[in-house]
């Protein structure tokens, strides 16, 4: 491709950045319309100026020295890390941040420097806003963590009293109480313990929402097996068949994935509790979504939209105990990874919970 | 004499009950914060310290450190009373020199088990608490 003068001229006029051509003495030989616009001059005015006019007075001296050393040692200086971050001076006197890149060019036997300038005012403002926002968020997060922890702690103290004294009552005065009184006390204790679980789950949920995500390669198969083994070890009264597909790997935060699997597997174990032979499968489907499938109680799909809300439960506490926060936690974890979670089920035929830990781009890997 | 360090009156009552039920005949005194705990330990030389981790002024971990730093009490058995679902707190207490822990609200069976462990430790290491030790060893908790 031949670069004709006409093409060159057109490029200069059309470029969105300010482009100047400066001769060896620092005089501006040419300035494109964007330069004029950026610095508040007309192009004719610019071509009678030296480059130092576009720089704050206090920096001019230094700039002349730089320019002369650059002439001696010309090299392409792009923007970015090696680019120059300077202040430009507008015709009306105000200063603004600019990023500049320089390159030498020979025109008709004489050496010139092409300078391309970009106004960085908006960029700097954005950076500053970003920095401040991040600081605010970090601060808010710290306060929230400390608040949640105090609240959880303060809420647990009276619960301890309720549970502790009910138990003491049962143990020390049990003989003097009839069956109804025993029942009442048992309910008081059960309620206190339930509330303790709620507090723990809410605290965990709030931590999941605020935790910093550290992405790595997660061995989903291994994690599922570990958690499964632990959960199954306490279920001695029935057979639970846990099948985990091998080599399930995900790019995700390992701690959060462990919490997610804990919640889904715990649910699977719980809702298959009425089955003689429970079967839980962890795998991956053909579109790449992971799933945890059980042959338990299932649920009516008509209520599926309520599944992941906090405190939402699709079964009565008489059938299955629970705080209704487990799935909300799963949803929060999945959302933080940019993925999604959904379920398919049939009443009495079991349920399958699918999840993706990254935005689905259609590729499976 | 047993020193109970606990700032919550309900927890204190439940702990006292557990002690009573476990058949302990020791006199029990109560300190309500870390500073008071150290002061009473120095003055009264308890044979056993039951210590809540969350206290005003000086927290449980600080109290353990102070107890272990003092020559006369460096072997005094310390049982930590923990509400924590934070295993880290208990772990840290062990590292600083606690001997055992019991979950709150204090269940007297758990308490008896914890006490048994302490007694075994005493028998094993031949150390009675708050006795001047001449061998200079520094056996920490189990």
């Amino acid at each position: 491709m031949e670069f004709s003068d006409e093409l060159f001229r057109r490029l200069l006029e059309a470029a969105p950045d300010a482009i100047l051509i400066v001769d060896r003495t620092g005089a501006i030989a040419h300035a494109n319309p964007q330069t004029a616009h950026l610095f508040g001059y007309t192009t004719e005015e610019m071509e009678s100026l030296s480059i130092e006019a576009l720089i704050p007075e206090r920096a001019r001296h230094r700039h002349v020295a730089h320019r002369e050393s650059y002439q001696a040692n010309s090299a392409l200086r792009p923007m970015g890390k090696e680019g120059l971050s300077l202040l430009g001076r507008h015709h009306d006197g105000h200063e603004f941040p600019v990023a500049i890149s320089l390159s030498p060019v020979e025109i008709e036997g004489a050496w010139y420097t092409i300078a391309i300038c970009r106004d960085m005012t908006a960029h700097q403002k954005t950076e500053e806003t970003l920095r401040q926002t991040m600081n605010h968020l970090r601060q808010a997060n710290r306060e929230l963590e400390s608040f949640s922890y105090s609240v959880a702690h303060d809420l647990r103290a009276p619960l301890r009293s309720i549970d502790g004294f009910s138990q003491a009552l049962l143990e020390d005065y049990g003989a003097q109480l009839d069956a109804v009184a025993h029942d009442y006390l048992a309910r008081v204790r059960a309620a206190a313990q339930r509330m303790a679980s709620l507090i723990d789950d809410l605290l965990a949920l709030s931590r999941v929402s605020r935790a910093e995500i550290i992405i790595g390669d997660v061995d989903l198969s291994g994690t599922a097996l570990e958690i499964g083994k632990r959960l199954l070890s306490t279920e001695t009264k029935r057979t639970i068949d846990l099948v985990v597909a091998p080599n399930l790997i995900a790019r995700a935060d390992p701690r959060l994935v462990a919490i997610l699997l804990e919640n889904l597997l715990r649910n699977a174990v719980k809702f298959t509790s009425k089955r003689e032979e429970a079967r839980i499968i962890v795998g991956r489907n053909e579109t790449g979504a992971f799933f945890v499938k059980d042959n338990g109680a299932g649920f009516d799909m008509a209520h599926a939209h309520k599944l992941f809300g906090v405190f939402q439960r699709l079964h009565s506490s008489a059938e299955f105990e629970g705080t209704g926060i487990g799935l909300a936690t799963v949803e929060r974890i999945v959302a933080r990874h940019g993925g999604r979670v959904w379920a398919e089920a049939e009443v009495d035929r079991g349920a399958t919970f699918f999840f993706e830990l990254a935005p689905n781009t259609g590729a499976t890997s | 004499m047993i020193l109970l360090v606990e700032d919550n009156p309900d927890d204190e009552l439940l702990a006292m009950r557990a002690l009573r039920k476990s058949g302990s005949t020791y006199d029990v005194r109560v300190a309500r914060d870390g500073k008071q705990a150290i002061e009473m330990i120095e003055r009264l030389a308890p044979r056993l310290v039951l210590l809540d981790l969350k206290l005003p002024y000086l927290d449980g971990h600080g109290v353990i450190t102070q107890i272990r730093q003092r020559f006369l009490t460096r072997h005094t058995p310390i049982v930590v009373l923990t509400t924590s679902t934070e295993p880290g707190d208990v772990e840290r207490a062990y590292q600083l020199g606690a001997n055992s822990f019991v979950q709150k609200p204090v269940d007297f069976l758990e308490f008896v088990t914890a006490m048994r462990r302490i007694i075994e430790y005493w028998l094993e290491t031949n150390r009675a608490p708050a006795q001047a030790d001449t061998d200079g060893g520094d056996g920490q908790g189990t």
Side-chain angles (χ1 to χ4, degrees):
Chain A
M1 183 183 196
E2 295 277 333
F3 285 105
S4 69
D5 285 347
E6 180 57 24
L7 178 58
F8 190 45
R9 178 166 297 281
R10 290 275 186 90
L11 280 170
L12 281 185
E13 307 308 298
D17 287 326
I19 304 180
L20 305 102
I21 303 178
V22 178
D23 74 15
R24 300 187 62 118
T25 69
I28 297 175
H30 182 85
N32 76 348
Q34 284 309 316
T35 315
H37 178 75
L38 183 60
F39 286 93
Y41 296 92
T42 65
T43 42
E44 291 78 26
E45 280 169 334
M46 294 223 83
E47 285 164 16
S48 67
L49 294 174
S50 89
I51 186 85
E52 272 79 31
L54 304 179
I55 290 165
E57 281 182 43
R58 60 189 183 284
R60 283 176 192 164
H61 207 71
R62 222 184 325 133
H63 188 262
V64 172
H66 277 148
R67 192 162 43 73
E68 282 164 8
S69 86
Y70 179 74
Q71 299 285 9
N73 195 5
S74 295
L76 183 64
R77 275 184 100 165
M79 295 195 197
K81 280 210 291 209
E82 292 164 18
L84 303 172
S85 241
L86 300 173
L87 285 175
R89 184 188 178 283
H90 192 274
H91 190 181
D92 67 17
H94 84 265
E95 296 173 5
F96 56 97
V98 290
I100 301 178
S101 79
L102 304 174
S103 69
V105 65
E106 190 185 356
I107 301 174
E108 292 164 357
W111 280 99
Y112 293 80
T113 301
I114 300 179
I116 303 182
C117 300
R118 187 169 288 169
D119 182 358
M120 299 297 271
T121 312
H123 181 88
Q124 272 196 5
K125 272 208 187 89
T126 308
E127 271 195 0
E128 182 55 32
T129 306
L130 189 60
R131 204 188 347 256
Q132 280 182 3
T133 307
M134 292 204 56
N135 278 341
H136 281 146
L137 280 175
R138 276 198 202 101
Q139 175 66 5
N141 243 12
R142 272 194 296 270
E143 285 170 12
L144 196 56
E145 170 69 40
S146 136
F147 176 73
S148 308
Y149 189 75
S150 310
V151 166
H153 187 256
D154 292 348
L155 284 174
R156 284 201 192 100
L159 272 183
R160 259 201 324 275
S161 301
I162 295 171
D163 195 35
F165 287 115
S166 304
Q167 185 182 9
L169 201 52
L170 275 170
E171 287 174 5
D172 297 354
Y173 296 93
Q176 298 169 39
L177 297 171
D178 67 6
V180 176
H182 273 262
D183 180 48
Y184 287 171
L185 279 173
R187 287 170 192 268
V188 169
R189 294 201 69 203
Q193 278 155 20
R194 185 177 160 69
M195 186 152 166
S197 298
L198 271 169
I199 293 174
D200 289 346
D201 284 354
L202 278 174
L203 197 59
L205 178 59
S206 107
R207 287 226 174 92
V208 157
S209 303
R210 283 177 288 106
E212 205 176 310
I213 293 207
I214 303 169
I215 304 279
D217 284 316
V218 182
D219 173 14
L220 224 108
S221 303
T223 312
L225 279 169
E226 226 183 277
I227 295 173
K229 213 182 289 178
R230 185 176 24 92
L231 291 176
L232 264 51
S233 70
T234 58
E235 301 281 327
T236 49
K237 299 198 182 93
R238 54 186 176 114
T239 25
I240 303 183
D241 187 19
L242 172 64
V243 176
V244 177
N247 302 319
L248 297 174
I249 313 271
R251 289 286 301 169
D253 182 311
R255 295 161 310 147
L256 292 180
V257 168
I259 296 174
L260 179 153
L261 285 172
E262 171 98 30
N263 274 292
L264 288 179
L265 286 169
R266 204 178 271 279
N267 268 5
V269 167
K270 185 168 69 178
F271 288 102
T272 53
S273 63
K274 300 193 176 146
R275 295 268 178 263
E276 278 286 317
E277 286 184 22
R279 195 167 163 78
I280 301 173
I281 306 174
V282 179
R284 194 162 199 180
N285 72 4
E286 57 286 341
T287 63
F290 299 102
F291 64 82
V292 175
K293 181 183 167 74
D294 68 73
N295 65 342
F299 56 86
D300 183 354
M301 284 297 284
H303 300 298
H305 59 280
K306 292 203 277 176
L307 266 181
F308 298 100
V310 178
F311 295 129
Q312 290 293 349
R313 308 192 61 234
L314 296 187
H315 298 88
S316 74
S317 349
E319 295 177 271
F320 297 103
E321 45 101 278
T323 56
I325 300 180
L327 286 180
T329 308
V330 166
E331 196 274 334
R332 200 69 63 88
I333 292 173
V334 156
R336 295 208 63 207
H337 283 84
R340 55 186 192 113
V341 59
W342 69 101
E344 286 169 12
E346 250 190 86
V347 173
D348 222 32
R349 305 280 296 270
T352 308
F353 284 85
F354 297 92
F355 59 96
E356 286 163 352
L357 290 167
N360 191 343
T361 54
T364 50
S365 86
Chain B
M1 172 278 227
I2 293 177
L3 178 67
L4 170 62
V5 187
E6 173 61 71
D7 65 325
N8 179 319
D10 284 350
D11 288 338
E12 176 200 327
L13 188 48
L14 289 167
M16 297 286 251
R17 174 181 171 270
L19 277 168
R20 204 175 52 243
K21 294 203 66 131
S22 66
S24 156
T25 52
Y26 282 106
D27 181 26
V28 182
R29 304 291 293 273
V30 181
R32 298 218 174 280
D33 63 63
K35 278 194 322 199
Q36 197 184 13
I38 303 293
E39 183 269 318
M40 288 176 77
I41 286 167
E42 287 184 331
R43 188 163 43 91
L44 304 167
R47 313 206 81 192
L48 170 67
V49 176
L50 291 175
L51 174 63
D52 178 22
L53 284 180
K54 306 257 181 301
L55 296 169
Y57 306 123
L58 183 62
D59 77 355
H61 292 119
V63 171
I64 297 173
T65 307
Q66 295 255 0
I67 293 175
R68 290 293 176 240
Q69 274 172 2
R70 287 165 164 73
F71 182 77
L72 285 177
T73 53
R74 69 197 192 289
H75 296 306
T76 306
I78 299 175
V79 176
V80 156
L81 301 175
T82 173
T83 66
S84 272
T85 38
E86 306 276 359
D89 277 358
V90 177
E91 182 60 45
R92 183 144 176 259
Y94 274 121
Q95 279 168 6
L96 293 171
N99 300 87
S100 188
F101 80 96
V102 173
Q103 290 260 38
K104 294 204 287 186
V106 180
D107 174 276
F108 90 87
L109 277 175
E110 263 188 62
F111 186 75
V112 166
T113 312
M115 288 302 100
R116 222 170 258 143
R117 249 185 253 128
I118 303 267
I119 292 168
E120 275 159 21
Y121 171 71
W122 285 355
L123 292 176
E124 219 180 283
T125 61
N126 251 326
R127 291 191 204 291
Q131 273 182 6
D133 234 335
T134 49
D135 69 2
D138 76 330
Q140 290 283 11
T142 28

